[in-house]
Amino acid sequence: MAKTVLSVPAIEVRQGKDRVLYSFAIDGKRVPSFAAISRVKRSDGQLEGYQRPEVLSHIAEIRQYIESASPMIPNAIVLAFDKRVTFVPSSAANGKRQTIRVGMLHIPVDASLPDTQKPGFVVDGQQRLAAIRDARVDAFPVCVTAFVTENVAEQVEQFILVNSTKPLQKGLIYELLPGTIARLPTILERRRFPAHLLDRLNSTSASPLKGMIQTPTTTTGVIKDTSILRMIENSLSDGLLYRFRDPADGKGDADQMVAGLHNFFSAVRNVFPRAWGLPPRRSRLMHGAGIVSLGLLMDAIAERKRRKNVPSQSDFEGDLSPLVDVCRWTDGYWDFGPGQKRRWNEIQNTGKDIQLLSNYLLVQYKALVWNKDGEIAVIRDSRRKVMAN
């Protein structure tokens, strides 16, 4: 491409006394022709640039989304231009200072220029632009917000401000997931169905956990949403819920899954009434370690029953009742073996403690209830689930 000028319709917006922004739309694949990435690095001990390296996995996620059936990226790319970029309003100001004007933004484009001499720098949106660059699409228009400055410090300032805003709480994201239908990044896509099951547990009138799971909109809940999600994900992997899962889409018969969870936690409520409904600081049954360990125990009971349908509440109660005397949810000491006595509230929500507690419950369950045929498989599977998390 020879030297040329790219002219795009734009809106000029004046903010305060001397701040001017330009808003326009352009094919994202064309942005690298006039705007570069200012990579952060050190030269002779001095810090230069401000953009972090490309995150390939994140770019791949965005690229897959762009190549999907109906992608939409509403967030504007933020660019900083130097004074080579000019704006020509479409009409005279009539002697009056206007805060908003429409016109044409003229951007010089020169393929022979190195990145450091291009008229624009990307302040925010480098991963999106990289994904658009690599996507197998002919074009992908994006919204752009730009400002003009010769001052690198101002570019850095805007970069920091844009990237230091507080992100959404994970809990709020998980709570919003069940209402979405579009393709999402892989990690959120995997959590959408577990989040749907969590929502039903927390909102269905028949659920023993109704209103007990703490989310951004259910602040009085006593069980952390992340603990319930982890328990559900473990069971979807190869436990009770896996029986009703559809491998094609990772979802399945949600009604059967919810029924199984209802039956199990109704049984837990009846078998351990003194520990039920208390905040985690007063009951390790409601604690993250307790919830995840109980989920593995639920899977073990379902495996022992070996039924196609979910075990009934009475089935779960029958297998949980022998464990009452060996559980220390609210007082006393857990006896994990020689030199392994732990006060009831010393169990923490860590991988090591969850493995310790879940192994203890499963060993006690097998000793008191389980026949020898299922012993090896259930210990192996529970240990693998805990270590994977």
Side-chain angles (χ1 to χ4, degrees), residues 220-347:
T220 56
V222 294
I223 307 171
K224 289 285 188 181
D225 53 359
T226 50
S227 300
I228 294 291
L229 281 173
R230 185 173 178 184
M231 178 271 297
I232 290 173
E233 288 169 348
N234 283 342
S235 190
L236 281 169
S237 174
D238 57 2
L240 169 61
L241 304 186
Y242 179 80
R243 296 183 188 178
F244 310 103
R245 184 179 180 182
D246 182 353
D249 60 8
K251 299 176 184 178
D253 191 337
D255 291 339
Q256 286 283 74
M257 295 180 189
V258 170
L261 292 166
H262 281 189
N263 289 347
F264 177 71
F265 281 102
S266 293
V268 171
R269 177 186 58 193
N270 290 350
V271 173
F272 303 105
R274 289 181 58 237
W276 183 262
L278 299 176
R281 67 178 184 279
R282 294 177 55 197
S283 169
R284 282 313 191 245
L285 184 75
M286 302 283 100
H287 187 267
I291 291 296
V292 175
S293 298
L294 283 170
L296 297 174
L297 187 57
M298 173 186 73
D299 294 337
I301 294 173
E303 176 66 18
R304 191 180 85 87
K305 298 300 180 182
R306 297 183 185 279
R307 294 178 179 173
K308 290 185 179 179
N309 296 324
V310 298
S312 66
Q313 179 179 330
S314 60
D315 286 332
F316 282 124
E317 287 183 10
D319 278 23
L320 287 171
S321 294
L323 299 177
V324 170
D325 293 336
V326 298
C327 289
R328 300 292 180 262
W329 300 119
T330 59
D331 55 40
Y333 289 82
W334 294 95
D335 187 359
F336 296 131
Q340 286 285 316
K341 277 198 171 184
R342 299 274 291 276
R343 186 173 170 80
W344 73 274
N345 59 356
E346 289 178 348
I347 299 298

Side-chain angles (χ1 to χ4, degrees), residues 6-307:
L6 175 63
S7 298
V8 294
I11 299 174
E12 179 190 71
V13 180
R14 291 186 174 273
Q15 295 180 331
K17 291 183 179 180
D18 55 2
R19 296 288 190 176
V20 180
L21 298 176
Y22 299 100
S23 181
F24 61 95
I26 193 169
D27 178 6
K29 288 185 177 290
R30 299 194 67 178
V31 173
S33 69
F34 57 82
I37 306 295
S38 181
R39 298 283 180 216
V40 66
K41 60 182 182 296
R42 286 194 179 272
S43 178
D44 296 328
Q46 297 297 313
L47 186 67
E48 296 180 357
Y50 48 85
Q51 286 280 11
R52 58 193 178 276
E54 291 184 355
V55 182
L56 297 181
S57 59
H58 184 41
I59 291 171
E61 291 277 6
I62 301 173
R63 188 189 69 241
Q64 290 173 9
Y65 173 67
I66 291 170
E67 294 171 349
S68 65
S70 57
M72 180 175 70
I73 299 180
N75 303 52
I77 305 297
V78 180
L79 301 180
F81 286 132
D82 63 26
K83 294 191 185 304
R84 284 174 288 175
V85 174
T86 58
F87 176 77
V88 178
S90 59
S91 61
N94 298 322
K96 212 173 152 185
R97 188 173 189 267
Q98 294 180 326
T99 56
I100 300 175
R101 298 189 297 178
V102 297
M104 298 296 291
L105 195 68
H106 302 293
I107 308 168
V109 178
D110 186 347
S112 66
L113 290 178
D115 280 355
T116 55
Q117 295 180 27
K118 288 181 178 178
F121 286 93
V122 178
V123 174
D124 183 56
Q126 67 151 325
Q127 314 292 346
R128 280 167 280 161
L129 287 173
I132 294 169
R133 175 198 66 203
D134 298 340
R136 293 189 298 271
V137 294
D138 293 333
F140 193 86
V142 292
C143 298
V144 175
T145 297
F147 59 94
V148 174
T149 180
E150 298 285 351
N151 190 344
V152 175
E154 188 172 358
Q155 295 180 28
V156 176
E157 172 190 305
Q158 292 303 315
F159 173 78
I160 292 172
L161 291 174
V162 166
N163 289 281
S164 64
T165 54
K166 187 175 182 180
L168 284 176
Q169 291 176 264
K170 283 189 176 180
L172 179 56
I173 293 175
Y174 299 151
E175 199 164 2
L176 293 171
L177 280 178
T180 62
I181 57 175
R183 178 182 173 84
L184 296 170
T186 303
I187 189 169
L188 294 179
E189 195 73 43
R190 284 200 302 261
R191 286 222 147 162
R192 177 153 42 190
F193 186 63
H196 167 71
L197 297 179
L198 181 151
D199 180 62
R200 291 185 60 174
L201 286 177
N202 211 23
S203 60
T204 306
S205 58
S207 171
L209 294 174
K210 184 179 186 301
M212 292 182 63
I213 305 171
Q214 187 180 99
T215 71
T217 61
T218 310
T219 56
T220 56
V222 294
I223 307 171
K224 289 285 188 181
D225 53 359
T226 50
S227 300
I228 294 291
L229 281 173
R230 185 173 178 184
M231 178 271 297
I232 290 173
E233 288 169 348
N234 283 342
S235 190
L236 281 169
S237 174
D238 57 2
L240 169 61
L241 304 186
Y242 179 80
R243 296 183 188 178
F244 310 103
R245 184 179 180 182
D246 182 353
D249 60 8
K251 299 176 184 178
D253 191 337
D255 291 339
Q256 286 283 74
M257 295 180 189
V258 170
L261 292 166
H262 281 189
N263 289 347
F264 177 71
F265 281 102
S266 293
V268 171
R269 177 186 58 193
N270 290 350
V271 173
F272 303 105
R274 289 181 58 237
W276 183 262
L278 299 176
R281 67 178 184 279
R282 294 177 55 197
S283 169
R284 282 313 191 245
L285 184 75
M286 302 283 100
H287 187 267
I291 291 296
V292 175
S293 298
L294 283 170
L296 297 174
L297 187 57
M298 173 186 73
D299 294 337
I301 294 173
E303 176 66 18
R304 191 180 85 87
K305 298 300 180 182
R306 297 183 185 279
R307 294 178 179 173

